[in-house]
Amino acid sequence: QVQLVESGGGLVQPGGSLRLSCVPSARIVSDNDMAWYRQGPGKQREFVAFITRGEKTGYADGVKGRFTISRENAKNTVNLQMNSLKAEDTAIYYCNTFPATRAYWGQGTQVTVSS
């Protein structure tokens, strides 16, 4: 019964930045490749970024150069630094393993980019 708890979302203006954090209820970060996903209004959930146990990273084309995923194994935490935010980044952001584990999906954290 792993609970993924995302935080750090909020309202930000275009061009602004946010830093999201994910702290699972169980210690799973060090043992898994992890990722961030998002679901915008009227859209399906999509992949955003992954980070492997060896700290290799990969990003969706639309966020490359703007988002940075990182992990802090000792804190059982995965982060997503989001810079140069655009309106199309508006979504609920979720963390999970990579590939995702269906039972782990949590509530996510809302990111709204708007003037």
Side-chain angles (χ1 to χ4, degrees), residues 3-21:
Q3 296 182 47
L4 296 176
V5 181
E6 301 95 342
S7 63
L11 175 64
V12 65
Q13 295 188 1
S17 298
L18 284 173
R19 185 175 179 85
L20 308 183
S21 294

Side-chain angles (χ1 to χ4, degrees), residues 24-92:
S25 62
R27 181 162 286 277
I28 66 168
V29 173
S30 61
D31 293 333
N32 290 275
D33 298 344
M34 302 294 294
W36 284 92
Y37 307 83
R38 68 186 181 186
Q39 185 170 18
K43 300 179 180 179
Q44 295 195 57
R45 185 163 49 214
E46 65 181 5
F47 161 80
V48 174
F50 74 81
I51 183 165
T52 70
R53 287 165 289 179
E55 300 194 43
K56 302 285 188 180
T57 59
Y59 300 89
D61 287 344
V63 307
K64 287 180 181 177
R66 299 189 298 118
F67 291 10
T68 302
I69 187 171
S70 62
R71 65 194 300 150
E72 299 175 84
N73 289 344
K75 296 181 179 180
N76 195 39
T77 298
V78 181
N79 303 305
L80 185 69
Q81 178 67 45
M82 306 186 296
N83 299 324
S84 302
L85 284 162
K86 306 174 180 179
E88 51 262 45
D89 295 319
T90 295
I92 301 174

